[in-house]
Amino acid sequence: MTTYRIAPSILSADFARLGDEVRSVIDAGADFIHFDVMDNHYVPNLTVGPLVAQAIKPYCKRADGTPVALDVHLMVEPVDALAQMFAKAGADIISFHPEATRHVDRTLQLIRDAGCRAGLVFNPASSLDVLDHVMDKVDLVLIMSVNPGFGGQSFIPEALRKTAMVRQRLDAYRAHSGREVLLEVDGGIKADNIAAVAAAGADTFVAGSAIFGHKDYRAVIDAMRGELARVA
Ligand code: DX5
Ligand code: ZN
């Protein structure tokens, strides 16, 4: 049985009440907190930096104290210095776009050296080739199902085919290495398409507007889990 994880993106949360929003969405069943960092350079939008990550870190835990991973998605260029700042700020996972760094292997290594799990993010038009020689340093693959930069966009169906391609690669890799790499999909995910994304092979689902755009976070997360329970 696959363990599915739902990762609400706080991009669509109420930024004036971020701590409460993080707490509410964790109470509602979030598995990860997805933290979108945009720099108005790699993407045409500007969001939050390490200070805000540090401020919400104490909220990233369940009522019983169990930690909830702070899943930082860097849409910034260059990557290395900011990745290290986010590691210090308390990130558990740091993902970056390979186009945004000069030396992908080095960036993966420095994220891991800083004690975090490292992720590679693939835009809708990006090929997966960069994975070939760095798999041993990758803990998570993130497939973008929208072009990065904004919440609330529509899911690009081609992402399903690409997710299935990554699933094959990760299964083959696990067969000889014994190592599990997470497969996360980000953009336009809602209760009515999450099952298709899972069927394509994803195990971790980012959802921003679908969750924070609704009054009852638990109702949305429960609906998503209900859909996931029906995936073979
Ligand atoms: C897009 C971000 C996503 C986005 C998801 O650049 O990486 O995480 O916030 O939001 P929705 O679920 O609204 O597409
Ligand atoms: Zn994201």
Side-chain angles (χ1 to χ4, degrees):
M1 270 287 281
T2 311
T3 302
Y4 292 122
R5 296 178 185 81
I6 295 178
S9 161
I10 57 160
L11 187 59
S12 294
D14 178 352
F15 274 87
R17 309 172 30 251
L18 209 44
D20 289 344
E21 290 275 70
V22 170
R23 188 180 289 136
S24 307
V25 87
I26 289 173
D27 287 346
D31 298 297
F32 287 175
I33 293 298
H34 186 81
F35 191 94
D36 285 309
V37 182
M38 305 185 187
D39 68 348
N40 192 39
H41 174 67
Y42 182 69
V43 289
N45 200 353
L46 185 64
T47 59
V48 283
L51 280 175
V52 178
Q54 192 176 6
I56 66 157
K57 178 68 176 178
Y59 294 82
C60 294
K61 56 176 193 251
R62 294 186 206 295
D64 67 3
T66 325
V68 171
L70 181 56
D71 171 29
V72 173
H73 174 190
L74 294 181
M75 288 161 274
V76 306
E77 181 180 1
V79 178
D80 293 0
L82 276 171
Q84 284 167 308
M85 290 169 79
F86 275 98
K88 283 207 184 80
D92 297 290
I93 304 169
I94 300 178
S95 301
F96 63 95
H97 292 248
E99 303 86 345
T101 190
R102 192 68 65 95
H103 303 288
V104 172
D105 179 277
R106 176 183 289 149
T107 304
L108 289 165
Q109 188 63 58
L110 70 84
I111 290 170
R112 286 176 133 205
D113 287 348
C116 301
R117 286 185 271 173
L120 274 184
V121 193
F122 294 90
N123 284 331
S126 298
S127 107
L128 299 168
D129 295 352
V130 68
L131 271 180
D132 285 343
H133 302 288
V134 294
M135 199 68 116
D136 286 338
K137 293 178 181 167
V138 172
D139 300 295
L140 174 144
V141 174
L142 174 49
I143 297 299
M144 292 306 300
S145 40
V146 297
N147 287 293
F150 303 93
Q153 303 180 81
S154 302
F155 187 88
I156 297 172
E158 171 64 18
L160 293 175
R161 210 169 66 88
K162 196 181 210 172
T163 299
M165 288 168 69
V166 178
R167 179 79 270 153
Q168 278 188 349
R169 288 185 182 219
L170 296 186
D171 286 351
Y173 176 72
R174 182 180 47 199
H176 74 79
S177 69
R179 216 167 63 82
E180 190 82 51
V181 176
L182 297 183
L183 175 44
E184 182 173 48
V185 178
D186 183 3
I189 295 186
K190 313 200 169 316
D192 62 13
N193 61 11
I194 196 168
V197 182
D203 49 52
T204 305
F205 309 86
V206 177
S209 52
I211 293 174
F212 287 103
H214 199 283
K215 274 204 308 287
D216 187 345
Y217 304 161
R218 177 176 291 280
V220 183
I221 293 175
D222 283 353
M224 289 177 163
R225 289 207 200 280
E227 291 294 321
L228 291 171
R230 300 192 312 175
V231 179

